Amino acid sequence: MTTHEFDFVVVGAGTSGCYAAATAAKAGYDVVVVERKDAAEAGHIACGDALKGAANFPDAIPKSELEPAFTNTGVDHGRFEIPQEDTVLDIPIPGELAVIDRWKYGQRIIESASEAGVEFHYDTVVQDVEQDRSGRVTGVRATRKGDAVTYDAAFVVDAAGSLSLLQDTVDFSESTFDTNVDYSQFCSAYREIVEVPEPVEWDDALVFKPTERAAGYLWYFPRTDTEINAGLGFQMNEEPMHLVEDLKRDLRNRGEFAGAEVKDKLGAALPTRRPYDSATHPGYLAVGDAAGHVNPTTGGGIAGAAYAGTYAAEAAIDALEDGVHDEAALWSYNERVMDHFGARYAALDVYNVLSTAVDVDDLMSLLASLPGKQLSEALYAGTSSFGVGLAAKVAAKSFGHWGQIYQMYQTKRVADRLLDHYESYPSSPDGLDRWQARRDDIMDDVYEVTGADAKY
């Protein structure tokens, strides 16, 4: 068996993995990224291709390195199609937007990480995680091009994506790493890249449409005015083929797709849950999809993954320079994630919980009556504001849905309480139990207000 020694072993060559690796390499450390795909396929990942937060990226791989993969920077709003109400809502989306060629983007981040000094080992499938007697992770065992290989490292960064198999092999009993994870908290996604014969009229919008079944939505994101990323996401407890047929049926019924050519097909899983309460363990950090770092209402996760990878590497570098590998030394990573986007994503997840307990037609009818600005805030900030006058206008417009509006109002109040609680995220692992107990009390109120089954 071949053994390699590195300061950092990063599993997965996606956004979070490349940013973690580039950050550590630029600080002078020996870093390897192990990737199951070959060099040509690396970076080819199923994605909606919509990038929110395109204004800036961490310095390890700056935005300027990624811009060649930006194919449409003219998108500025969401277009929500609600067939039940024969309505189309144009919703402003805050911040800079872009639609990208995800494969080209993936190649760009790999190339930039390589230029920073990162070594890439392709065709490498991790089989197991190694731990010492104290429980600290010390490396991984893998198969590379059919041969057994071991990677010893000071730190392992798990960037292996949703439902990471690495987490099935690590004994987390000596840490606070979040193991309250179930497949039902995740979404399956499928997308096709479709070339249409004529430019679409909505090339400046991200188009969303509910599926005929609950817990799913269709999307049409224009890479260009003739190249469209068409896809859908659905909770893993739904029947996938039935929902894929919803997409195909909708494509057949849209005139702009007549005579279109499908250029690529791909599927994946992504988290539609709150971020992991803790993504640290001695010698080990999980980042990106492997730690739930995705907006649970939209599925967007590229910018968050870039920062998560950076924060994880910076925490591990500090620990390495101090000569420690324990969880407390890595805790700043959890704090920075929660402060930057984790708290907001946890609040947004409350609306996902609500969606599982209401009739989809009633929900769409209600959404059609809400002002675009407030919908935008709810989708992207985790909260929204309604003045008395605005509330009165909404009430008049939504006669017949006042019960749902009251439930939405109550849900917003408890989501705001949750957001406030995340601001007191503990400064060390010792405080996590007490913080979780209070958070779980708030979640009990979420389930009571929404009538939903417990998600966690």
Side-chain angles (χ1 to χ4, degrees), residues 350-373:
V350 172
Y351 298 100
N352 268 359
V353 171
L354 173 66
S355 72
T356 67
V358 298
D359 180 84
V360 66
D361 288 341
D362 287 344
L363 180 61
M364 291 301 105
S365 181
L366 172 60
L367 293 180
S369 70
L370 296 178
K373 180 177 183 295

Side-chain angles (χ1 to χ4, degrees), residues 81-283:
E81 299 179 353
I82 305 179
Q84 297 95 324
E85 297 295 311
D86 193 24
T87 297
V88 174
L89 300 177
D90 288 323
I91 308 297
I93 299 178
E96 186 176 344
L97 289 173
V99 182
I100 64 174
D101 181 325
R102 182 60 181 81
W103 197 349
K104 183 180 292 185
Y105 163 87
Q107 292 288 315
R108 294 293 300 180
I109 59 174
I110 289 171
E111 181 180 338
S112 295
S114 297
E115 292 173 353
V118 177
E119 191 171 327
F120 282 80
H121 287 190
Y122 299 106
D123 299 298
T124 303
V125 179
V126 173
Q127 309 288 349
D128 202 358
V129 175
E130 294 194 319
Q131 294 178 263
D132 65 16
R133 291 184 177 180
S134 71
R136 172 191 156 199
V137 171
T138 58
V140 299
R141 291 196 299 273
T143 300
R144 186 183 184 199
K145 298 180 179 179
D147 296 328
V149 60
T150 298
Y151 295 88
D152 293 337
F155 289 99
V156 170
V157 178
D158 178 2
S162 298
L163 297 167
S164 166
L165 294 178
L166 276 68
Q167 293 169 28
D168 293 335
T169 67
V170 178
D171 177 3
F172 290 119
S173 60
E174 298 303 316
S175 72
T176 64
F177 192 93
D178 196 341
T179 57
N180 185 15
V181 180
D182 185 83
Y183 82 97
S184 63
Q185 302 159 1
F186 289 74
C187 170
S188 289
Y190 169 80
R191 68 97 176 104
E192 298 179 352
I193 304 302
V194 183
E195 185 76 33
V196 297
E198 299 291 336
V200 298
E201 295 179 353
W202 34 267
D203 63 317
D204 60 347
L206 303 179
V207 179
F208 298 87
K209 184 178 181 179
T211 58
E212 294 180 4
R213 299 164 182 81
Y217 71 92
L218 309 177
W219 73 72
Y220 298 98
F221 295 167
R223 282 185 173 182
T224 69
D225 59 4
T226 59
E227 186 176 82
I228 313 300
N229 182 313
L232 81 158
F234 50 89
Q235 289 301 121
M236 283 191 171
N237 53 0
E238 294 285 325
E239 288 291 335
M241 293 313 296
H242 291 170
L243 283 155
V244 170
E245 183 55 36
D246 284 352
L247 173 63
K248 294 185 179 297
R249 184 185 309 112
D250 202 62
L251 283 167
R252 290 194 296 268
N253 291 335
R254 300 180 80 98
E256 60 265 52
F257 286 90
E261 178 187 357
V262 177
K263 299 173 64 177
D264 189 44
K265 299 179 180 181
L266 211 57
L270 69 155
T272 44
R273 53 156 290 146
R274 67 193 180 204
Y276 284 16
D277 289 352
S278 169
T280 56
H281 176 87

Side-chain angles (χ1 to χ4, degrees), residues 44-65:
H44 189 201
I45 295 172
C47 179
D49 294 344
L51 174 58
K52 184 184 179 295
N56 59 76
F57 275 79
D59 291 339
I61 305 175
K63 177 187 172 185
S64 59
E65 294 291 314

Side-chain angles (χ1 to χ4, degrees), residues 176 277-278 280 327-336 338 421-435:
T176 64
D277 289 352
S278 169
T280 56
E327 187 177 21
L330 303 174
W331 196 255
S332 63
Y333 162 57
N334 286 329
E335 292 183 88
R336 294 178 75 184
M338 293 304 183
H421 180 64
Y422 268 77
E423 292 180 358
S424 62
Y425 184 82
S427 58
S428 74
D430 294 339
L432 188 65
D433 282 346
R434 189 192 314 184
W435 179 87

